[in-house]
């Protein structure tokens, strides 16, 4: 009897184990399906930046890293830009949903019939500048006459500065993204972001100074986030969720750049951690100061957009003026 009883006990235990395993399997299957369902609920979205991953895109990467886009129902992909990448073309063609460019490029594109709309400005003060070696006798933009200036072809700020400061003898050279020509020609000047190139050159033992483009009187917003008119019209709720998550990312990056920078470094290993830290510090007031103090991250004023449009028109860079309200909107920004 005892032996027989032990046999029944073993069979019963095996039955329980099989039953429990089945329950566990069913539970795991349900969980996996739940995860799959959650993933399927996320809307796939792509944004393309205007350069390789760097602090100037810090809040966007923070939103990706911290899951703010996922919380907003977005399965986000960030595609880095570069010297041969046109965010405007990529977004306008539908290959990406959102992009980053300069405010004047928004108006230049619209003048060509490309229906894009600015939905927020990362930089209140554009970090673009003209960089020169510190031992050069340059105090103002007028001192650039007779010098070689490396700029991207067709930039609005250079057309404005040439005319405003009568730089008839400045020699224009196409900026390639490389600093070697600038280093070798000590009297030359090159475009830069004050959050990046001054530090990179200092690491090579080259001291520099710069003229901030903003101080010339030409003041487009920098790193403007944009999308298409179609997206604004057909998916305003998605645009709102995207901007809310992006804003949350920038607010996070402002106080936790040291946590996010290693994540950015994974996307751009060529940029050192020291350079990331430098950029994050240098850009704080440019992003969160000025009008952003009172109106919040991303704010854009009608006055500045109107002034920019008038400048481009007077320079002959755009053929017509339109209702500037078509070119930008604060609709999707947090209300302060």
């Amino acid at each position: 009897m005892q032996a027989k009883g032990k046999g029944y006990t073993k069979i019963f235990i095996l039955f329980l184990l099989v039953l429990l395993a089945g329950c566990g399997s069913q539970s795991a299957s349900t969980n996996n399906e739940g995860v799959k369902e959650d993933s399927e609920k996320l809307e796939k979205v792509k944004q393309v930046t205007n350069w390789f991953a760097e602090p100037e895109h810090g809040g966007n990467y923070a939103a990706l890293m911290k899951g703010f886009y996922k919380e907003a129902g977005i399965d986000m992909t960030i595609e880095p830009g570069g010297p041969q990448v046109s965010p405007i073309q990529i977004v306008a063609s539908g290959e990406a949903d959102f992009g980053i460019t300069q405010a004047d490029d928004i108006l230049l594109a619209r003048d060509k019939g490309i229906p894009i709309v600015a939905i927020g400005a990362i930089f209140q003060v554009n970090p673009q500048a003209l960089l020169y070696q510190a031992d050069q006798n340059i105090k103002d933009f007028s001192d650039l006459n007779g010098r070689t200036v490396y700029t991207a072809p067709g930039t609005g700020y250079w057309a404005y500065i040439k005319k405003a400061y009568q730089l008839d003898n400045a020699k224009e050279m196409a900026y390639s993204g490389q600093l070697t020509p600038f280093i070798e020609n000590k009297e030359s000047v090159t475009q830069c972001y004050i959050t990046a190139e001054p530090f990179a050159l200092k690491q090579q033992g080259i001291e520099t100074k710069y003229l901030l483009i903003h101080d010339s009187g030409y003041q487009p917003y920098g790193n403007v986030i944009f999308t298409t008119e179609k997206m604004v019209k057909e998916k305003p709720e998605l645009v709102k969720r995207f901007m809310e998550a992006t804003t949350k990312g920038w607010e996070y990056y402002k106080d936790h750049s040291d946590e996010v920078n290693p994540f950015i470094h994974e996307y751009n290993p060529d940029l050192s951690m020291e350079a990331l830290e430098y950029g994050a510090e240098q850009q704080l007031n440019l992003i969160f100061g000025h009008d952003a103090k009172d109106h919040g991250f991303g704010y854009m004023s009608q006055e500045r957009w109107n002034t920019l449009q008038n400048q481009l028109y007077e320079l002959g860079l755009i053929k017509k003026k339109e209702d500037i309200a078509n070119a930008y909107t604060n609709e999707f920004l947090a209300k302060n």
Side-chain angles (χ1 to χ4, degrees):
M1 290 287 295
Q2 263 187 327
K4 192 174 180 180
K6 286 181 180 179
Y8 284 135
T9 301
K10 287 179 181 178
I11 292 170
F12 181 69
I13 290 171
L14 285 170
F15 173 76
L16 283 176
L17 289 173
V18 170
L19 183 64
L20 288 171
C23 290
S25 174
Q26 186 177 7
S27 174
S29 174
T30 302
N31 288 341
N32 287 338
E33 286 175 6
V35 171
K36 186 178 180 182
E37 285 175 7
D38 288 343
S39 177
E40 287 175 350
K41 287 178 184 175
L42 296 179
E43 191 163 1
K44 288 188 178 296
V45 172
K46 181 189 288 186
Q47 58 175 302
V48 57
T49 67
N50 56 341
W51 200 248
F52 306 111
E54 56 187 357
E56 291 84 340
H57 314 124
N60 302 65
Y61 282 99
L64 181 65
M65 171 187 167
K66 298 301 293 183
F68 298 152
Y69 288 125
K70 282 188 177 179
E71 290 172 7
I74 295 171
D75 180 7
M76 176 59 69
T77 298
I78 299 180
E79 183 176 302
Q84 306 302 321
V85 176
S86 171
I88 289 175
Q89 289 181 4
I90 292 171
V91 172
S93 68
E95 292 179 30
D97 305 286
F98 301 95
I100 294 177
T101 191
Q102 308 305 322
D104 45 1
D105 289 332
I106 297 283
L107 297 183
L108 291 169
R110 289 187 62 84
D111 194 59
K112 294 174 183 173
I114 303 173
I116 55 174
V117 183
I119 55 175
I122 294 175
F123 285 95
Q124 293 292 315
V125 173
N126 202 314
Q128 285 183 325
L130 292 174
L131 192 71
Y132 58 93
Q133 298 194 34
D135 59 359
Q136 294 300 301
N137 185 26
I138 297 176
K139 305 297 181 185
D140 192 39
F141 293 96
S142 57
D143 296 326
L144 303 182
N145 223 4
R147 295 177 182 269
T148 297
V149 181
Y150 294 96
T151 66
T155 52
Y157 72 77
W158 179 237
Y160 174 86
I161 290 170
K162 278 194 302 179
K163 183 176 180 180
Y165 295 89
Q166 301 177 342
L167 303 181
D168 300 326
N169 295 321
K171 181 182 179 183
E172 300 172 38
M173 296 292 287
Y175 176 75
S176 66
Q178 300 298 318
L179 292 172
T180 304
F182 167 74
I183 294 171
E184 293 176 349
N185 182 356
K186 291 195 66 175
E187 294 183 353
S188 68
V189 177
T190 184
Q191 70 176 50
C192 78
Y193 262 31
I194 64 172
T195 50
E197 281 82 0
F199 178 83
L201 287 164
K202 190 170 185 178
Q203 295 297 97
Q204 299 180 53
I206 300 169
E207 295 293 332
T208 58
K209 294 179 181 179
Y210 58 79
L211 299 171
L212 194 64
I213 301 300
H214 188 87
D215 294 338
S216 72
Y218 188 77
Q219 301 179 342
Y221 290 105
N223 281 24
V224 171
I225 304 168
F226 71 95
T227 187
T228 60
E229 289 181 358
K230 182 180 180 182
M231 178 71 79
V232 168
K233 182 179 179 181
E234 296 182 359
K235 296 186 176 181
E237 192 261 343
L238 172 59
V239 178
K240 184 173 179 58
R241 285 187 283 122
F242 166 75
M243 281 307 296
E244 285 175 349
T246 300
T247 300
K248 191 174 179 181
W250 273 105
E251 292 292 346
Y252 192 87
Y253 188 68
K254 177 177 67 174
D255 300 319
H256 304 90
S257 59
D258 57 336
E259 178 189 343
V260 181
N261 283 340
F263 182 70
I264 299 175
H265 182 68
E266 291 177 17
Y267 283 81
N268 186 4
D270 292 335
L271 196 61
S272 70
M273 291 302 300
E274 293 78 14
L276 284 161
E277 291 167 11
Y278 175 86
E281 291 171 5
Q282 293 296 310
Q283 69 187 18
L284 267 178
N285 188 54
L286 303 181
I287 296 172
F288 295 99
H290 306 272
D291 283 348
K293 281 183 181 178
D294 299 321
H295 301 283
F297 170 82
Y299 176 78
M300 302 172 290
S301 78
Q302 180 176 333
E303 180 184 1
R304 278 182 65 177
W305 275 103
N306 270 328
T307 298
L308 178 61
Q309 181 176 236
N310 290 334
Q311 289 172 332
L312 292 174
Y313 183 76
E314 290 166 7
L315 290 166
L317 296 177
I318 58 175
K319 296 176 182 178
K320 60 185 182 299
K321 294 183 188 179
E322 64 170 325
D323 181 352
I324 202 64
N326 295 330
Y328 84 102
T329 179
N330 289 319
E331 175 186 355
F332 304 104
L333 299 175
K335 302 293 188 293
N336 277 15

